[in-house]
Amino acid sequence: MNTQQTILFHKYGGPEVIEVYEIPLLEPSEDEVRFKVNAFALNRADLLFINGHHYTLPEFPSRIGSEATGIVDKIGKNVTKFKIGEKVTSIPFYTQNHGVQGEYAIVPEIFLTHSPDNLNDVEACSIWMQYLTPYFALIEIGKVQPNEYVLVPAASGSAGLGTLQLLKYAGAKVIATTRTKEKAAFLKKAGADYVVIMDEKSLSKTINEITNNKGVRLIFDPIGGSFLNNYTEVLATNAIIFLYGLLSGEITEVPIVQMVRKNAIIYPYSMFNYVVRPDMLERGKSFILKGIKEGLLHPIIDKIFSFNDTRKAYQYMESNNQKGKIVVKLN
Amino acid sequence: MNTQQTILFHKYGGPEVIEVYEIPLLEPSEDEVRFKVNAFALNRADLLFINGHHYTLPEFPSRIGSEATGIVDKIGKNVTKFKIGEKVTSIPFYTQNHGVQGEYAIVPEIFLTHSPDNLNDVEACSIWMQYLTPYFALIEIGKVQPNEYVLVPAASGSAGLGTLQLLKYAGAKVIATTRTKEKAAFLKKAGADYVVIMDEKSLSKTINEITNNKGVRLIFDPIGGSFLNNYTEVLATNAIIFLYGLLSGEITEVPIVQMVRKNAIIYPYSMFNYVVRPDMLERGKSFILKGIKEGLLHPIIDKIFSFNDTRKAYQYMESNNQKGKIVVKLN
């Protein structure tokens, strides 16, 4: 029987619960594609999945991971878009049974694309989560307008950087927040129109200055909790507060009075609710692949680890010091 | 100089701060209509306005009130839809300068309708707040479907009863909640499909039973706070939690994980944000006036007070025992 090395976990916990195991090499079902993994990217959602706080729950033992690039080595009988030997990249979806972190991954055809020609494997496995996450929220739901200022808190994480690039590509403007001068300089270089270093400057005041007291309509907030107090007084009419993470670890209160004044809504958001809508996904793929081809979207890689150091890679992610994607390279 | 008796308040507080004063009778401006008030209705928003917790703030001394019925006695030169001697009813809007509680009221033409023929004055002044409030939220924004179950907590208040009638008129079904057996019987009689007496029965369990585990998509919640725990586990996909009051007096936490699972949003809602949109207001007027004409919408009056007892009327409202509208009758 053929086997493969893969990342598994058997109980909830931090990165310490994941390990490399030898498991049987499974066959793709009729709508699935199997590919030999060259590189895979890490995401914060993986950590939530491992510690049991993701909104989808694992069945033990569970594989993990949703973004990988590799070479097709077997296809199901209904698969029409991919051939053996082609280079492919997976699109994140519900990860319970299709974790991609291992020597081989099996993914439904609809959640696979050909890898863009102008990206290497490490970059190619780093595109879909970071660009589709803001795409559905800000382009499809929020319908961002040209030259509109969007608030992007904690902008130096991989989702933040993807959001920044995507908004610039869409013709919008970005007010980024971060915690250090060093990250602020990095964000300026990455294209942010304004960067507010929290604790140094009032975010509300800055937003009012930049927007002539109009405020911000779209907020893409991975922090939540009391961080909302920094901007609920400067919402524009019909504002949408997307909450797509819980970096603060705090309870988020609904600021009802401030929100009613601006007819604002709170939108707890996950790209996993939209990636399953074929029409939206197709539009998202086209939009993003065009941006990559034109060089306007280009994943920033923070650090590359070896397969046996996958646990260390997640521990590094937990330190919150990354600026860009953390990737594991196998080949 | 002509004068009139009117309700005024000079500082924030409870019903004790409002008093009857003699003030000059002002002239309507070119787009306004003045009418002699026969009856006016009380609303919970008035209490928030008086105690400084409404999202619009008064300038002292301030008039109060937004719903009145009476006879037109003077019109501005641009007014075309109303003539002296006609019976009119005001539509609630921003109340700072146009409080209607007094012998005379002055209201912009756009926020006035002719009184429906089949309602007396006490009923006629009780229609717009209670029907437009759920209309904008559930018909225009929520797009309620025929036979869809909608959750209406605290359904025996005037807004709750209006919501119940409006939903039945729109062909939807109503799951009402209340606190006592007596009110439950009243709500059943008023047309609720299901009534859950809180503390006696699990609301979540009941909703799952009624909806075959599909849950509720539209929630029209005037309570907020920890009351959300009673239904966040039984949201349907793409649920909208309208928060249009704060009866609980508690902080409302965003139940992020439960909401992301169902792609739900929190919508702090006020009818005042929609009544200013002429197209929506016109559709709302037509829809509601048709329902009144057909007898499917009929305001339920709880209690009628005299003008000099307006303060007592608000104190009665504060007791939270009303089932329907509280109205003051002048003529």
Side-chain angles (χ1 to χ4, degrees):
Chain A
M1 191 178 69
N2 290 323
T3 61
Q4 66 153 320
Q5 303 280 320
T6 188
I7 307 288
L8 286 186
F9 70 113
H10 291 74
K11 59 175 182 187
Y12 293 128
E16 74 282 357
V17 301
I18 66 166
E19 293 195 58
V20 177
Y21 283 88
E22 184 90 14
I23 62 165
L25 186 62
L26 299 176
E27 299 297 307
S29 69
E30 53 190 23
D31 297 313
E32 292 178 335
V33 173
R34 189 174 73 191
F35 60 97
K36 189 163 192 305
V37 174
N38 289 343
F40 59 77
L42 276 57
N43 285 296
R44 211 159 278 280
D46 306 335
L47 285 172
L48 294 174
F49 188 66
I50 296 167
N51 71 19
H53 290 116
H54 196 262
Y55 79 107
T56 61
L57 297 175
E59 282 172 35
F60 300 122
S62 177
R63 293 190 63 164
I64 63 171
S66 59
E67 293 192 293
T69 289
I71 307 291
V72 175
D73 96 309
K74 193 153 192 185
I75 62 174
K77 70 178 166 101
N78 294 341
V79 170
T80 59
K81 290 189 186 149
F82 303 96
K83 291 190 203 120
I84 291 170
E86 289 182 331
K87 190 172 280 186
V88 292
T89 292
S90 63
I91 293 172
F93 72 109
Y94 184 66
T95 55
Q96 191 173 55
N97 299 309
H98 292 87
V100 298
Q101 298 188 358
E103 289 181 304
Y104 289 85
I106 295 175
V107 170
E109 180 179 23
I110 49 163
F111 295 113
L112 216 56
T113 61
H114 290 99
S115 289
D117 289 337
N118 58 337
L119 299 186
N120 63 34
D121 292 343
V122 165
E123 292 165 338
C125 71
S126 302
I127 56 179
W128 293 118
M129 183 71 100
Q130 73 167 309
Y131 298 130
L132 281 176
T133 299
Y135 172 80
F136 295 128
L138 301 172
I139 311 282
E140 290 277 347
I141 304 166
K143 300 191 195 319
V144 67
Q145 299 300 305
N147 296 313
E148 180 174 16
Y149 286 101
V150 177
L151 179 58
V152 183
S156 63
S158 64
L161 283 171
T163 304
L164 201 163
Q165 289 185 5
L166 192 90
L167 285 168
K168 297 301 294 179
Y169 168 46
K173 296 197 167 176
V174 174
I175 304 171
T177 81
T178 190
R179 291 172 304 162
T180 68
K181 273 199 180 118
E182 186 230 341
K183 285 187 178 179
F186 170 78
L187 287 168
K188 267 283 185 195
K189 215 178 141 194
D193 297 276
Y194 290 86
V195 183
V196 176
I197 302 171
M198 299 308 296
D199 304 330
E200 288 199 0
K201 220 170 166 180
S202 158
L203 180 57
S204 290
K205 212 173 149 226
T206 309
I207 289 172
N208 268 339
E209 283 165 15
I210 295 169
T211 64
N212 283 323
N213 296 313
K214 275 188 202 155
V216 281
R217 185 179 65 89
L218 297 174
I219 298 96
F220 200 56
D221 183 349
I223 304 175
S226 60
F227 188 83
L228 269 76
N229 300 336
N230 293 304
Y231 61 76
T232 45
E233 294 292 346
V234 292
L235 300 174
T237 304
N238 301 325
I240 306 177
I241 302 173
F242 290 100
L243 297 178
Y244 74 101
L246 285 170
L247 288 178
S248 71
E250 301 169 340
I251 283 164
T252 303
E253 293 173 15
V254 184
I256 295 190
V257 175
Q258 291 91 334
M259 289 182 71
V260 166
R261 281 197 180 118
K262 298 302 170 64
N263 203 42
I265 62 172
I266 286 185
Y267 209 122
Y269 167 79
S270 166
M271 67 86 76
F272 292 107
N273 287 326
Y274 293 93
V275 82
V276 291
R277 300 188 186 185
D279 55 333
M280 270 200 199
L281 179 56
E282 279 312 308
R283 288 197 296 270
K285 278 186 198 170
S286 305
F287 186 81
I288 290 163
L289 288 174
K290 185 165 175 283
I292 289 171
K293 200 170 173 186
E294 293 173 1
L296 294 169
L297 301 180
H298 197 97
I300 296 173
I301 309 302
D302 179 279
K303 205 163 178 179
I304 300 170
F305 289 81
S306 70
F307 184 53
N308 286 322
D309 283 340
T310 302
R311 186 191 289 166
K312 280 187 194 157
Y314 278 112
Q315 283 161 340
Y316 174 68
M317 176 176 269
E318 279 190 324
S319 73
N320 276 336
N321 279 319
Q322 81 201 82
K323 291 175 298 198
K325 284 297 257 193
I326 302 167
V327 180
V328 167
K329 197 168 180 317
L330 290 89
N331 297 299
Chain B
M1 191 176 73
N2 290 322
T3 61
Q4 66 153 321
Q5 302 280 320
T6 188
I7 307 289
L8 287 185
F9 71 114
H10 291 73
K11 60 176 183 186
Y12 293 128
E16 75 282 357
V17 301
I18 66 165
E19 292 194 59
V20 177
Y21 284 87
E22 185 90 15
I23 62 164
L25 185 62
L26 300 175
E27 300 296 307
S29 69
E30 53 190 22
D31 297 314
E32 292 178 334
V33 173
R34 190 175 72 191
F35 61 98
K36 188 162 192 306
V37 174
N38 289 343
F40 59 78
L42 276 56
N43 285 295
R44 211 160 277 280
D46 305 334
L47 285 172
L48 294 174
F49 188 64
I50 296 167
N51 70 19
H53 291 115
H54 195 262
Y55 80 104
T56 61
L57 297 174
E59 283 172 34
F60 300 122
S62 176
R63 294 189 61 162
I64 63 171
S66 60
E67 292 192 293
T69 290
I71 306 291
V72 175
D73 96 308
K74 193 154 191 185
I75 62 175
K77 69 178 167 108
N78 294 342
V79 171
T80 59
K81 289 188 186 149
F82 302 96
K83 291 187 202 122
I84 290 170
E86 288 183 331
K87 191 173 279 185
V88 292
T89 293
S90 62
I91 293 172
F93 70 109
Y94 183 64
T95 56
Q96 192 174 55
N97 299 310
H98 291 87
V100 297
Q101 299 188 359
E103 290 181 303
Y104 289 85
I106 295 175
V107 170
E109 180 178 23
I110 49 162
F111 295 113
L112 215 56
T113 62
H114 291 99
S115 289
D117 289 337
N118 59 337
L119 300 185
N120 63 33
D121 293 342
V122 165
E123 293 165 338
C125 71
S126 301
I127 56 179
W128 293 118
M129 185 70 103
Q130 74 167 310
Y131 299 129
L132 280 176
T133 299
Y135 172 81
F136 295 128
L138 301 173
I139 311 283
E140 291 278 347
I141 303 166
K143 301 191 195 318
V144 67
Q145 299 300 304
N147 295 313
E148 180 173 17
Y149 286 101
V150 177
L151 179 59
V152 183
S156 63
S158 64
L161 284 171
T163 304
L164 201 164
Q165 289 185 4
L166 191 90
L167 284 169
K168 298 300 294 180
Y169 168 47
K173 297 197 168 175
V174 174
I175 304 171
T177 81
T178 189
R179 290 172 305 161
T180 67
K181 274 199 179 115
E182 186 230 340
K183 284 187 178 180
F186 170 78
L187 286 168
K188 267 283 187 194
K189 216 178 139 194
D193 296 276
Y194 289 86
V195 183
V196 176
I197 302 171
M198 299 308 297
D199 304 331
E200 287 198 1
K201 220 170 166 180
S202 159
L203 180 58
S204 289
K205 213 174 148 225
T206 309
I207 289 172
N208 268 338
E209 282 165 15
I210 295 170
T211 64
N212 283 324
N213 296 313
K214 274 188 202 154
V216 281
R217 184 178 65 88
L218 297 174
I219 298 96
F220 200 56
D221 183 349
I223 303 174
S226 59
F227 188 84
L228 269 76
N229 300 336
N230 294 302
Y231 61 77
T232 44
E233 295 292 347
V234 292
L235 299 174
T237 304
N238 301 326
I240 306 176
I241 302 173
F242 290 101
L243 297 178
Y244 74 101
L246 286 168
L247 288 178
S248 71
E250 300 169 341
I251 283 165
T252 303
E253 294 172 14
V254 185
I256 294 189
V257 174
Q258 292 91 333
M259 290 183 69
V260 166
R261 282 196 180 118
K262 297 304 169 62
N263 203 43
I265 61 172
I266 286 185
Y267 209 122
Y269 168 79
S270 165
M271 67 86 77
F272 293 107
N273 287 326
Y274 294 93
V275 82
V276 292
R277 300 188 186 183
D279 55 333
M280 271 201 197
L281 180 57
E282 280 312 309
R283 289 197 295 270
K285 278 187 200 169
S286 305
F287 186 80
I288 290 163
L289 289 173
K290 186 164 175 282
I292 289 171
K293 201 171 173 184
E294 292 173 2
L296 295 169
L297 301 179
H298 198 98
I300 296 173
I301 308 302
D302 178 279
K303 205 164 179 179
I304 300 170
F305 289 81
S306 70
F307 184 54
N308 286 322
D309 283 341
T310 302
R311 185 191 288 165
K312 280 186 193 155
Y314 277 112
Q315 283 162 341
Y316 173 69
M317 176 176 267
E318 279 190 323
S319 73
N320 276 337
N321 280 318
Q322 81 202 83
K323 291 175 299 199
K325 284 297 256 194
I326 301 167
V327 180
V328 167
K329 197 168 180 316
L330 288 89
N331 297 299

